Amino acid sequence: MNEMSIPDTQHWFTIGRLSDIPRRGARQVLLPRGPIAVFRTQTDEVYAIDDKCPHKGGPLSQGIVHDGAVTCPLHNWVIDLQTGDAMGADQGCVRTYEVRKDADGLVSVSLSGGSGKAE
């Protein structure tokens, strides 16, 4: 799931199946805007955020997923997957993207909208 597929609508990009993303894991997806990290929680919630920690640019797709958050593999910053905000005493944020799952298990990410937050 490292390359984007042909857009299914004007702003939605189908990135693969839910089963392609391990529970409590992530996949990096390359989109025209740059790499994003798509995460799947233990309860099959799916989130997409920029794949770059606001601290030192660590690859968040290689982080540890826990409790609706991901811990950056470089310096242990914790990023909330829903808001993109750094948690705890750290300050910063990453852009979030809207995600949808269809009845066939396909996961799509919207490049329009999103949090608009980015540093």
Side-chain angles (χ1 to χ4, degrees):
M1 185 176 0
N2 286 334
E3 296 183 22
M4 74 174 192
S5 64
I6 297 171
D8 64 347
T9 66
Q10 185 176 1
H11 301 288
W12 288 93
F13 291 85
T14 300
I15 60 166
R17 297 196 169 280
L18 180 63
S19 60
D20 295 334
I21 308 167
R23 282 199 170 105
R24 300 182 65 186
R27 290 288 184 259
Q28 183 190 63
V29 179
L30 300 176
L31 294 177
R33 184 176 277 177
I36 64 169
V38 181
F39 298 91
R40 179 180 176 189
T41 67
Q42 181 66 33
T43 57
D44 292 335
E45 295 173 84
V46 180
Y47 299 96
I49 62 176
D50 280 338
D51 193 16
K52 185 176 179 181
C53 181
H55 178 225
K56 296 284 186 181
L60 295 172
S61 61
Q62 296 177 26
I64 298 170
V65 178
H66 56 92
D67 303 323
V70 60
T71 298
C72 179
L74 294 186
H75 300 99
N76 296 323
W77 273 42
V78 179
I79 307 298
D80 184 298
L81 292 174
Q82 188 169 19
T83 65
D85 293 330
M87 300 172 71
D90 299 319
Q91 295 185 354
C93 62
V94 295
R95 182 179 301 272
T96 62
Y97 300 91
E98 189 175 355
V99 175
R100 70 179 182 193
K101 300 180 287 187
D102 71 14
D104 295 327
L106 292 175
V107 176
S108 301
V109 174
S110 174
L111 295 185
S112 62
S115 68
K117 296 186 291 186
E119 294 185 344

